[in-house]
Each structure stands twice: as structure tokens, then as C-alpha cells.
Amino acid sequence: MRYWTTRRRDVLTGYLFIAPQLAGVVLFVLIPVGLAIWYSLNKWNVFTGKQVFVGADHYAALASDPQLPNVLLATVAFSGGVVVLNISLGLLIAVLLNRRFRGATFFRTVFFSPVVVSVVAWTLVWGFLLQDNGGINGLLGAVGVDGPNWLQHGDTAMVSVVVSQVVRSVGVNMVLFLAALQGVPSELYEAARMDGASSRAMFARITLPLISPTVLLTAIITVVGALQSFAQIAVLTGGGPELSTTVLVYYVYQQAFEFNDIGYGSTLALMLLSFVMVLTLLQWQLRRKWVFHEQ
């Protein structure tokens, strides 16, 4: 009996196609997560290479860390601001640019172009603009307004990093929403107009339900992206002033690489991973209530 039957060849071909992806998941996800779990159970001196098993001590330290509440509060403020502004502005810009008018392609390019710029270069430019004598205060001064030192005050520093992140990344959501809007059948709008429906009613009853899968997709990738944002914080504020812009991912970096506490940094990284997984799973489950159709 011949061993390499057609079915076995098809199965082998399938495995070969997914092998690169599986190798990537193993090398860059499963092994790092496994190492992080191991490091979180040990006290590791990176200079001597000596590891001492401490069990759940690092997890117990989370409850007594006096800085962690402020870090979590900053994480919620940054992520919440980025998610709300990124999705709402992305949808608004997509709706406006989905109409036919001269220059629409130019404006689409303008809003998307920051996405392809290096995040460090983009953040450095914003750092110059937000200085006390920078471009933004220069524009405010031209109209008689005395601008603050944006990156040196807690409230304005958080607003600055949120705005910098949103302006850079809103183009991704805009493109996704544009693609979804162009897939809505125009016959539905024409029928609604014949029935006397207003623009607001058509948006609420036709547009939103039909693009709801894209809204779910943008919500998931925006939440995950916001929780992983690091460069804006590191370059613009360095987590300051005080802890006002120290989000969780930056706190992980500080603990692991500035204070050389790899064990506690790994514990914080696992907590961040848990937040990402829980929020993603929650959004995925809630899709049954507000996603109109799935394809």
C-alpha cells in the first residue's frame, strides 16, 4: 500500500504552510512568556548571573508597591484617551473623506502619512513643538495666549502624549473605516432617502450596523496598541513629571532595565499581558451584542 496518499500529501502541505507562523508563535510568544513566568519566580542578579528562587514574592510585592496605583491610573488615562479619540476621530475623518470632492485623495494621504513615519522621529518632532519656547506656544503667543510648559506639568504632559499618539496613529483606523464605508451598498441609502430618513438616522440604522465588524477590529487593535505604547512616553516625558505619564509598559522597562529587577519587571509584564488578554476577550465576547454581522 502506498504511504504518500493524496490526503497525506495535502495534510503535509497544510502543515508546511503554517510552519513559519507556528515557529514565530513558539519563538516570539510562547518561549518569552515561559521565560517571563520563570523570571517572575526568581530574584536575578544580572551582573553576577545568580538566580535565587523566591516563589510568589514578586506577586505579593504587587499589592504593596506604593507606585503601582498611580501607574495604573496613568495607564487608564492614556489608554482611555487614545482609544476614544482614535476610534471616534478615525470614524469621523473616514465619513468626511468618503464623500466625493476635489482633494479627497490629498487629505487621505495627509492623515495617513504620519503612520509611515518612524515613531521616534515623530516623537522627537513633537518634543520640539511642545517645549516652552516651541512651535505650539509660538502659535498661541501669536494670538495673545500664554501657553504652558506642556511636558513639565502632570495634566498637560498626559494630554500631550495622548495627542501625539492619536495624531500619528489615527490614519490606520481612518483607512479601515474608509474601506468598510465603501463596502456599504448605496442602494440602502437611496431606499432610506425615499422613505424620508435623515442623515443621522441613516448613519445610525445603516452605516454603523454594517461597519460594526470593522469597529470591533479597530477597537481591539487600538486597545492593544495603546497598552503597548512605549516610545512616546520614553522620548517625550520619560514617565514624568513625577509619575503622571508612567504607564504600565514603561514601568516594566524601568523596573527591569533601569533598576535591574528582572524578576519584578517580569511580574509586571505578565500583569500587562493579562490585562491585554482580558480586554481582548471581553471585546470579543461583547461582539455578540453590538456586531451586526460577522464574515
Side-chain angles (χ1 to χ4, degrees), residues 85-286:
L85 289 176
N86 214 330
I87 294 177
S88 58
L89 287 178
L91 181 57
L92 176 62
I93 296 170
V95 170
L96 294 175
L97 296 183
N98 193 41
R99 301 175 180 179
R100 293 183 179 179
F101 64 93
R102 180 174 296 180
T105 303
F106 169 76
F107 286 109
R108 292 174 186 175
T109 305
V110 168
F111 282 110
F112 186 75
S113 56
V115 176
V116 298
V117 177
S118 163
V119 62
V120 175
W122 174 263
T123 310
L124 284 173
V125 170
W126 273 86
F128 287 115
L129 292 175
L130 291 167
Q131 287 180 352
D132 194 24
N133 57 352
I136 292 178
N137 279 350
L139 291 175
L140 292 175
V143 295
V145 177
D146 190 15
N149 194 340
W150 296 92
L151 301 177
Q152 298 301 317
H153 299 284
D155 295 336
T156 55
M158 178 57 76
V159 171
S160 300
V161 292
V162 168
V163 170
S164 170
Q165 170 69 8
V166 170
V167 173
R168 181 181 180 275
S169 58
V170 72
V172 175
N173 286 350
M174 178 202 72
V175 169
L176 293 174
F177 283 131
L178 264 176
L181 289 170
Q182 291 175 2
V184 178
S186 59
E187 295 83 2
L188 296 178
Y189 294 119
E190 294 170 3
R193 289 192 191 94
M194 293 179 65
D195 291 338
S198 64
S199 298
R200 181 178 299 180
M202 287 191 289
F203 181 77
R205 301 295 180 85
I206 298 175
T207 305
L208 271 182
L210 290 181
I211 68 170
S212 54
T214 303
V215 176
L216 172 66
L217 172 65
T218 55
I220 291 175
I221 63 175
T222 306
V223 168
V224 174
L227 287 171
Q228 294 177 336
S229 295
F230 174 82
Q232 289 81 1
I233 304 294
V235 176
L236 277 182
T237 64
E242 297 180 349
L243 293 174
S244 60
T245 59
T246 302
V247 296
L248 188 54
V249 67
Y250 189 74
Y251 194 52
V252 171
Y253 163 77
Q254 284 184 316
Q255 293 295 327
F257 300 108
E258 288 188 359
F259 307 142
N260 295 317
D261 194 345
I262 300 294
Y264 190 55
S266 298
T267 308
L268 291 167
L270 291 172
M271 186 171 71
L272 176 61
L273 175 64
S274 302
F275 288 162
V276 172
M277 293 177 64
V278 168
L279 288 174
T280 303
L281 182 62
L282 182 63
Q283 292 176 88
W284 185 251
Q285 293 300 322
L286 288 176

Side-chain angles (χ1 to χ4, degrees), residues 67-96:
Q67 296 182 334
L68 192 55
N70 290 331
V71 171
L72 294 179
L73 187 62
T75 304
V76 172
F78 177 79
S79 302
V82 168
V83 171
V84 171
L85 289 176
N86 214 330
I87 294 177
S88 58
L89 287 178
L91 181 57
L92 176 62
I93 296 170
V95 170
L96 294 175

